[in-house]
Amino acid sequence: MYRIEEAYPSVDEYRRLRASVGWRSPSPADCQVALEATVFSVVARHRGEAVGMARIVGDKVLYLLIVDVAVHPDHQGRGLGRRMIDELTRWTSANGTRSTMLVAGPDVVPFYEALGFRPDPGRLMKRP
């Protein structure tokens, strides 16, 4: 019923999935640039339609950051997020990456902890 495939979402799929989970959707040109910076990506499909995505950005060797993990609300609760993260972490392990990180909102911390991620004692710093 659902298939997780190693693929990049199209710009339209990317914008649609971001909007479906309440994230702002940058311009198509900005989305294209973001997608071109992807190191590895998976897309969850249902009957050919993209219903989930997750991607990795980074330097490919030392540090990777998992971003844009999104599952359309109509398809949440079916294990797609877990399956996509499993594919991403399998890829990072196979490629010998030293550090795989992600930023999680408080509401999804338990989900990522159940997948083996732990809060870092350091503090994420951001420049607006």
Side-chain angles (χ1 to χ4, degrees), residues 66 81-82 85-86 89 92-93 99-102 104 108-120:
I66 295 174
R82 174 180 293 277
I85 293 296
D86 285 348
T89 56
T92 61
S93 294
S99 182
T100 303
M101 301 167 279
L102 58 83
V108 293
V109 166
F111 169 76
Y112 289 109
E113 286 179 331
L115 297 176
F117 288 87
R118 297 291 172 254
D120 187 293

Side-chain angles (χ1 to χ4, degrees), residues 15-42:
R15 295 183 82 227
R16 186 178 50 77
L17 285 168
R18 288 182 60 88
S20 79
V21 295
W23 298 343
R24 74 176 184 83
S25 188
S27 72
D30 286 348
C31 290
Q32 182 65 45
V33 171
L35 290 170
E36 288 171 1
T38 302
V39 173
F40 181 77
S41 179
V42 294

